[in-house]
């Protein structure tokens, strides 16, 4: 009898141990709110099997994780959060976890698993993209056709590196690159907007991740004349210090580099730029992304002006503008530079990066360099849309006569004004193709 009890006891223990070893857990849960999406991140004890689906009326997202327990608390969403109103969780079939996200809008969900990196273990990421309703789409079209204003300012896209799930480099005191570079970027934007001939566009405005390609896309949409990416360096040797400025070079290009670019970029975008374990790889991929659009000479000019001014406020890590020798894949359009403001891994520099006064100093130095660069450039006087002239119909006008007078074809004139016939009215304003 005693023996039997012992065996049973042993079996019980063995069984419990096996369950504990195989039990998958959600260990913590956080979210990041970006202007165009909300990212939910589940820290899981090991890779999980899961299903995500969206339901209507009321709008909600359901996440089923098989054989997973919930060992944390649900995050609190502010009542003013634009996408999520509430999250809840419960057990299904006595063994599976179901998480329900109550939504304020229709969303499209994207989800993927992330492997452990220096900061986190296994993760399940769910991105919620609010979908536009039909009526608001129409409003966007109307906005598009409004005439563009005359360009009288240089537009500077200021890109604070990393963000959200991607913290960037970390200092000894726990200072995070994503935090200090955003602070510098915001100070730089304020300074830029104080200039009569400059306007800032902040690529990242809060603590969320933006894909590398998306950053360039955003800058292009903002009609940026210059792209400035702000980072802070890290190195194993704590003595490394000073700032560096990088531009792209198409010298030493090779097709192997091009292939590497394609692979690593796709990977970086898929995982939110956090899968690459090597910091240098991250930097290289940012640079490679910039290279798609870089005007090498313009970039080099502005880079050396910025470096000169950074030299005035502290140490410079490398006296020359650094060039990354990767292939430029596409025709250039926006001159781009990447600034490593200081080494966050250096105790003194980390302490300085945390202070508002030093952040402002760095921003001022960057601004000074940009101003010198822009003072040597001619501001484009017109935008593309503006080159399109208009004409007001007078008595006796015919469409073909107007076309002839402006040396354009009748068909292109009709096409640009969406006209089906040659009928015109006195006082009607039509557009003339350039
Ligand atoms: Zn960085």
């Amino acid at each position: 009898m005693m023996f039997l009890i012992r065996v049973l006891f042993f079996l019980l223990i063995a069984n419990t141990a096996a369950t504990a070893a195989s039990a998958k857990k959600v260990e913590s849960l956080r979210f990041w709110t970006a202007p165009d999406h909300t990212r939910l991140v589940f820290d899981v004890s090991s890779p999980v099997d899961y299903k995500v689906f969206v339901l209507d009326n009321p709008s909600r997202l359901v996440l089923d994780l098989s054989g997973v327990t919930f060992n944390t608390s649900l995050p609190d969403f502010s009542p003013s959060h634009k996408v999520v109103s509430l999250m809840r969780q419960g057990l299904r079939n006595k063994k599976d976890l179901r998480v329900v996200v109550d939504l304020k809008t229709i969303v499209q969900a994207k989800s993927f698993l992330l492997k452990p990196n220096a900061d986190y273990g296994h993760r399940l990421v769910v991105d919620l993209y609010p979908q536009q309703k039909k009526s608001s789409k129409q409003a966007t079209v109307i906005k598009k056709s409004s005439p563009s204003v005359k360009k009288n300012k240089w537009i500077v896209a200021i890109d604070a590196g990393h963000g959200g799930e991607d913290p960037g480099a970390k200092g000894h005191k726990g200072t995070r690159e994503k935090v200090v570079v955003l602070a510098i970027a915001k100070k730089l934007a304020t300074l830029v907007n104080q200039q009569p001939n400059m306007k800032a566009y902040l690529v990242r405005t809060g603590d969320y991740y933006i894909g590398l390609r998306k950053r360039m896309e955003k800058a292009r949409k903002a009609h940026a004349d210059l792209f400035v990416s702000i980072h802070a360096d890290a190195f194993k040797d704590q003595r490394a210090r000073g700032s560096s400025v990088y531009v792209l070079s198409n010298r030493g290009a090779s097709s192997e580099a091009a292939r590497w670019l394609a692979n690593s970029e796709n990977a970086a975008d898929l995982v939110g730029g956090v899968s690459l374990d090597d910091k240098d790889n991250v930097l290289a991929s940012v640079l490679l992304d910039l290279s798609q659009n870089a005007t090498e000479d313009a970039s080099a000019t502005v880079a050396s002006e910025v470096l000169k001014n950074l030299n005035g406020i502290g140490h410079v890590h490398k006296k020359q503008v650094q060039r990354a020798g990767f292939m430029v894949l596409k025709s250039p359009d926006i001159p781009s530079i990447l600034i490593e403001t200081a080494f966050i891994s250096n105790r003194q520099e980390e302490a300085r990066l945390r202070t508002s006064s030093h952040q402002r100093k760095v921003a001022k130095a960057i601004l000074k360099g940009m101003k010198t660069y822009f003072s040597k450039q001619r501001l484009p006087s017109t935008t593309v849309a503006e080159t399109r002239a208009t004409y007001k119909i007078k008595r006796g006008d015919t469409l073909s006569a107007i076309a002839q007078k402006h040396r354009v074809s009748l068909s292109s004139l009709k096409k640009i004004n969406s006209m089906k016939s040659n009928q015109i009215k006195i006082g009607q304003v039509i557009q003339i193709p350039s």
Side-chain angles (χ1 to χ4, degrees):
M1 185 65 188
M2 199 60 200
F3 174 74
L4 189 64
I5 287 171
R6 269 209 193 133
V7 168
L8 273 176
F9 187 63
F10 174 76
L11 281 174
L12 198 68
I13 287 178
N15 189 38
T16 314
T19 313
S22 67
K24 295 179 178 188
K25 285 178 244 167
V26 172
E27 286 162 341
S28 69
L29 172 52
R30 61 188 162 272
F31 69 95
W32 310 100
T33 307
D36 68 332
H37 73 276
T38 296
R39 170 167 284 191
L40 302 170
V41 183
F42 297 79
D43 286 305
V44 284
S45 52
S46 53
V48 289
D49 284 332
Y50 71 96
K51 240 188 281 169
V52 181
F53 51 98
V54 178
L55 295 170
D56 280 344
N57 296 323
S59 204
R60 62 208 189 275
L61 175 127
V62 179
L63 185 62
D64 282 337
L65 303 103
S66 58
V68 173
T69 56
F70 194 77
N71 276 39
T72 182
S73 53
L74 290 160
D76 271 335
F77 283 86
S78 131
S80 63
H81 195 275
K82 290 210 169 73
V83 182
V84 179
S85 60
L86 191 77
M87 274 181 88
R88 46 210 164 88
Q89 58 90 14
L91 203 60
R92 236 176 121 246
N93 310 327
K94 289 183 179 167
K95 60 179 175 52
D96 301 328
L97 172 66
R98 171 166 278 189
V99 177
V100 179
V101 185
D102 291 319
L103 301 161
K104 291 179 181 173
T105 174
I106 305 160
V107 302
Q108 205 184 353
K110 280 188 197 167
S111 61
F112 50 91
L113 291 167
L114 283 181
K115 287 192 178 114
N117 68 3
D119 293 278
Y120 300 110
H122 289 281
R123 283 155 292 161
L124 166 63
V125 178
V126 183
D127 286 338
L128 310 172
Y129 289 87
Q131 297 301 293
Q132 276 188 335
K133 283 171 196 153
K134 273 188 184 131
S135 56
S136 56
K137 251 185 199 160
Q138 274 168 348
T140 320
V141 173
I142 293 160
K143 234 188 268 166
K144 247 189 206 164
S145 63
S146 66
S148 67
V149 282
K150 190 171 180 188
K151 186 163 179 173
N152 56 3
K153 286 181 183 194
W154 294 109
I155 298 166
V156 184
I158 304 168
D159 172 49
H162 313 276
E165 194 63 5
D166 170 20
K170 228 195 301 181
H172 296 280
K173 280 188 179 163
T175 313
R176 283 166 182 268
E177 178 183 359
K178 67 172 183 179
V179 176
V180 291
V181 296
L182 182 63
I184 295 169
K186 283 184 171 171
K187 286 183 170 72
L188 178 58
T190 306
L191 291 172
V192 162
N193 286 331
Q194 284 165 0
Q195 310 305 310
N197 63 342
M198 287 166 84
K199 196 170 175 284
Y201 169 72
L202 268 176
V203 176
R204 175 164 79 82
T205 55
D207 195 4
Y208 51 86
Y209 183 76
I210 307 174
L212 300 174
R213 190 167 302 287
K214 192 82 193 281
R215 291 175 194 248
M216 260 345 260
E217 243 171 59
K218 288 176 91 127
R220 196 173 295 115
K221 263 193 198 144
H223 303 288
D225 299 293
L226 179 63
F227 183 89
V228 180
S229 193
I230 300 175
H231 290 251
D233 229 335
F235 194 61
K236 279 169 239 150
D237 185 347
Q238 293 173 20
R239 288 168 298 181
R241 61 175 186 179
S243 36
S244 334
V245 181
Y246 290 81
V247 294
L248 257 303
S249 171
N250 56 9
R251 264 161 272 177
S254 73
S255 60
E256 200 189 331
R259 264 199 304 276
W260 187 84
L261 165 72
N263 290 339
S264 69
E265 278 211 334
N266 292 342
D269 264 354
L270 178 68
V271 303
V274 290
S275 79
L276 303 166
D277 20 30
D278 187 333
K279 166 114 200 316
D280 284 334
N281 275 349
V282 177
L283 173 65
S285 65
V286 174
L287 287 168
L288 284 163
D289 198 68
L290 300 180
S291 83
Q292 305 255 318
N293 314 285
T295 307
E296 196 181 338
D297 287 341
S299 304
T301 310
V302 65
S304 70
E305 293 298 341
V306 168
L307 189 64
K308 234 186 267 172
N309 285 284
L310 285 171
N311 201 358
I313 62 158
H315 295 283
V316 164
H317 183 60
K318 293 260 173 69
K319 291 215 159 55
Q320 265 87 43
V321 167
Q322 301 300 298
R323 290 164 185 273
F326 294 103
M327 191 179 211
V328 177
L329 295 175
K330 280 184 189 167
S331 60
D333 60 359
I334 310 172
S336 309
I337 61 172
L338 189 146
I339 304 168
E340 294 282 5
T341 50
F343 277 84
I344 206 165
S345 50
N346 177 297
R347 285 174 191 275
Q348 277 132 15
E349 294 202 337
E350 180 190 10
R352 283 206 296 171
L353 276 174
R354 291 166 78 106
T355 69
S356 186
S357 64
H358 187 73
Q359 290 167 357
R360 198 165 299 113
K361 255 191 204 169
V362 172
K364 270 187 182 164
I366 298 170
L367 175 78
K368 246 178 146 182
M370 294 192 311
K371 276 173 80 174
T372 312
Y373 164 74
F374 281 134
S375 70
K376 293 169 189 164
Q377 309 289 313
R378 283 244 309 275
L379 199 64
S381 60
T382 53
T383 60
V384 178
E386 249 188 329
T387 54
R388 200 179 280 168
T390 55
Y391 180 80
K392 194 170 177 179
I393 308 291
K394 293 193 291 276
R395 189 177 294 273
D397 274 339
T398 64
L399 206 56
S400 56
I402 294 165
Q404 227 166 39
K405 196 177 151 197
H406 291 91
R407 292 189 185 135
V408 295
S409 70
L410 182 61
S411 61
S412 67
L413 191 60
K414 281 167 78 174
K415 196 178 169 197
I416 201 167
N417 290 288
S418 329
M419 289 171 160
K420 286 200 181 78
S421 73
N422 289 2
Q423 266 193 348
I424 45 174
K425 278 189 284 185
I426 294 164
Q428 184 184 353
V429 177
I430 60 165
Q431 297 203 323
I432 309 293
S434 53

